[in-house]
């Protein structure tokens, strides 16, 4: 049934190079580079890494009845083109001696806790969490005056890269920071984002293999969901409202999804063989849960090529609230609407701690 639904979407083959050569375990790294080049037609390339990043601790206070410390750090990035770009990161770090698994959250707000960031619950589950507010990186609109956007986006009429690429670049700088902390277990660093920031998490996490788990929550169009035959939001709709999220040429695929030389399962496949989690919400028809699920299913081919189980399901999207945690690609369809809920966080924590 899944195979038949995937066939009907006429997806480009992950396991064939553009010139038709077959992809094998041996040449996967080369194919990965080709996929990254293809996807840059959508988001543009990330800006270059800074020459160096300095970390300035601004404050530290006891938090959650003494179970954790809340630390604010300013990341000062020395840009390749000259000048500095700085932004704050807030960390909740459990007080304990051993190394800890961490989440890096790309968030809509800078509050800790926040409706999307249950920091005390995560601390009780044994996780450190580091969050930053995407608007501290660049505004979520067509303004290109800020330092990063003026350096790296180019002209409004011909954007070299969109704002998703800038937010993704920042998530990678937070990873640079988290890896310097003595408490961090480098084998368990999960990147997570919701909605437009889920698209961002997939891009950053797909590109930088130091993230050991990549989590997309309700990321939908131009995120986890396949673009071909997608319900709800389409390339035309997203590009009309948010052209500045993408590289300019992406809009040319509006109503021409079948001409795309890739689809969103290419983005998911960049995470292989690392842990990947795609979470949908049952009433989120704009994001299209079925297209998110099928995309995870299609990316499974690369996990299998690399000797891992991907999405472990022969059935169509499972019942609501059932966790598919058997393979390296986790999936659930939570009941309710577009949101990053406690249910989602608990499922992600469980997948990381007990999954595969
Ligand atoms: C919507 C957009 C979606 C999703 C969402 C969000 O307006 O159409 O693609 O990203 O915003 O980020 O909340």
């Amino acid at each position: 049934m899944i195979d038949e639904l995937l066939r009907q979407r006429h997806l480009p083959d992950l396991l064939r190079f553009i010139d038709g050569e077959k992809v094998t375990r041996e040449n996967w790294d080369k194919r990965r580079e080709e996929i990254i080049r293809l996807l840059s037609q959508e988001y543009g390339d990330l800006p270059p890494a800074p020459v160096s990043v300095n970390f300035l601790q601004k404050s530290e206070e006891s938090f959650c009845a003494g179970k954790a410390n809340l630390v604010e750090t300013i990341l000062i990035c020395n840009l390749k083109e000259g000048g500095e770009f700085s932004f704050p990161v807030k960390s909740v770090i459990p007080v304990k001696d051993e190394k800890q698994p961490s989440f890096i959250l790309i968030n809509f707000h800078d509050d800790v806790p926040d409706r999307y960031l249950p920091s005390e619950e995560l601390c009780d589950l044994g996780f450190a969490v580091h969050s930053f507010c995407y608007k501290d990186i660049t505004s979520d609109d067509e303004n290109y005056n800020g330092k990063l956007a003026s350096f790296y986006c180019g002209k409004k009429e011909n954007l070299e890269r969109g704002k998703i690429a800038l937010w993704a670049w920042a998530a990678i700088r937070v990873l640079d920071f988290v890896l310097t902390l003595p408490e961090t277990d480098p084998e368990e660093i999960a990147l997570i984002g919701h909605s437009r920031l889920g698209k961002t998490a997939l891009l950053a996490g797909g590109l930088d293999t130091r993230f050991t788990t990549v989590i997309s929550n309700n990321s939908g169009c131009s995120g986890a969901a396949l673009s071909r035959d997608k319900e709800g939001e389409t390339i035309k709709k997203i590009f009309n409202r948010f052209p500045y999220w993408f590289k300019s040429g992406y809009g040319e695929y509006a109503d021409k999804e079948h001409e795309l030389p890739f689809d969103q399962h290419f983005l998911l496949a960049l995470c292989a063989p690392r842990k990947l989690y795609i979470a949908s919400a049952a009433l989120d028809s704009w994001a299209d849960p079925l297209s998110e699920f099928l995309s995870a299913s299609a990316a499974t081919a690369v996990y299998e090529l690399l000797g891992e189980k991907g999405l472990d399901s022969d059935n169509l999207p499972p019942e609501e609230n059932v966790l598919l945690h058997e393979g390296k690609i986790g999936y659930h369809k939570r009941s309710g609407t577009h949101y990053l809920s406690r249910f989602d966080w608990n499922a992600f924590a469980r997948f990381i701690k007990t999954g595969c």
Side-chain angles (χ1 to χ4, degrees):
M1 178 69 166
I2 294 179
D3 287 349
E4 182 48 31
L5 285 176
L6 284 172
R7 249 193 308 279
Q8 288 168 10
R9 301 260 177 147
H10 299 287
L11 299 176
D13 190 350
L14 269 170
L15 300 184
R16 288 268 167 209
F17 284 87
I18 297 171
D19 68 5
E21 185 191 344
K22 204 168 165 335
V23 176
T24 62
R25 202 188 274 210
E26 289 65 41
N27 64 24
W28 164 247
D29 285 346
K30 207 171 114 210
R31 173 62 168 154
R32 194 173 180 281
E33 291 309 314
E34 186 174 78
I35 290 172
I36 290 172
R37 283 197 299 280
L38 288 170
L39 289 166
S40 80
Q41 294 180 45
E42 181 172 359
Y43 310 101
D45 297 330
L46 295 201
V51 182
S52 60
V53 189
N54 298 325
F55 312 115
L56 180 71
Q57 187 171 311
K58 198 173 153 199
S59 63
E60 174 166 13
E61 62 186 84
S62 181
F63 199 55
C64 301
K67 290 181 290 189
N69 289 316
L70 171 61
V71 181
E72 183 169 347
T73 309
I74 309 295
L75 273 53
I76 305 163
C77 307
N78 299 299
L79 301 179
K80 204 168 157 222
E81 289 69 15
E84 285 177 356
F85 174 75
S86 303
F87 67 100
V89 175
K90 288 185 180 167
S91 307
V92 176
I93 304 179
V95 177
K96 50 177 180 168
D97 280 338
E98 70 248 42
K99 299 253 180 214
Q100 301 162 15
S102 341
F103 284 105
I104 294 176
L105 171 68
I106 316 167
N107 205 0
F108 289 89
H109 311 111
D110 63 4
D111 301 326
V112 177
D114 171 58
R115 64 180 170 143
Y116 287 158
L117 172 49
S119 45
E120 182 168 358
E121 289 89 333
L122 292 173
C123 170
D124 291 343
L125 290 169
F127 286 85
V129 58
H130 310 271
S131 69
F132 70 98
C133 174
Y134 79 135
K135 288 190 178 153
D136 285 332
I137 310 307
T138 186
S139 60
D140 191 358
D141 56 25
E142 289 195 90
N143 179 326
Y144 301 100
N145 296 330
K147 182 149 210 172
L148 282 189
S150 62
F151 263 35
Y152 296 124
C153 286
K155 295 221 177 336
K156 179 178 166 183
E157 312 70 49
N158 187 18
L159 293 179
E160 209 176 309
R161 53 179 65 78
K163 296 217 167 169
I164 288 176
L166 303 194
W167 298 321
W169 177 92
I172 292 172
R173 306 294 66 90
V174 179
L175 174 63
D176 294 338
F177 162 62
V178 169
L179 281 167
T180 67
L181 300 176
E183 305 87 355
T184 299
D185 176 358
E187 303 299 320
E188 289 294 5
I189 304 179
L191 177 64
I192 168 169
H194 167 63
S195 204
R196 67 198 69 186
L197 302 178
K199 309 180 210 301
T200 306
L202 287 172
L203 181 63
L207 292 174
D208 196 319
T209 57
R210 297 175 299 165
F211 292 108
T212 59
T213 304
V214 182
I215 304 170
S216 145
N217 194 70
N218 307 177
S219 65
C221 183
S222 306
L226 294 172
S227 300
R228 284 168 171 76
D229 302 333
K230 189 184 174 301
E231 302 284 331
E233 191 172 33
T234 57
I235 294 179
K236 184 175 187 178
K237 289 176 185 159
I238 202 169
F239 201 80
N240 278 344
R241 274 178 75 199
F242 306 107
Y244 57 89
W245 286 354
F246 304 100
K247 186 176 161 81
S248 286
Y250 183 53
E252 285 160 26
Y253 291 103
D255 290 336
K256 292 188 191 150
E257 285 81 358
H258 282 274
E259 291 175 22
L260 276 169
F262 56 87
D263 208 309
Q264 295 305 116
H265 60 313
F266 279 41
L267 181 63
L268 305 193
L270 294 181
C271 295
R274 294 170 291 146
K275 281 178 273 187
L276 169 67
Y277 203 116
I278 306 301
S280 303
L283 298 179
D284 192 2
S285 50
W286 189 240
D288 187 359
L290 178 61
S291 292
E292 294 182 321
F293 177 83
L294 288 176
S295 184
S297 187
T300 291
V302 175
Y303 281 78
E304 289 175 352
L305 178 79
L306 301 178
E308 297 284 355
K309 237 188 218 182
L311 179 67
D312 191 41
S313 176
D314 298 330
N315 300 312
L316 273 181
E319 301 287 300
E320 285 178 27
N321 303 329
V322 170
L323 309 180
L324 288 183
H325 282 188
E326 292 304 313
K328 283 280 190 100
I329 305 182
Y331 179 86
H332 69 249
K333 186 173 67 175
R334 173 183 42 73
S335 51
T337 54
H338 192 73
Y339 197 81
L340 174 53
S341 75
R342 299 297 191 268
F343 178 95
D344 301 310
W345 276 108
N346 277 313
F348 304 145
R350 188 154 148 194
F351 178 70
I352 291 168
K353 288 190 126 175
T354 62
C356 43

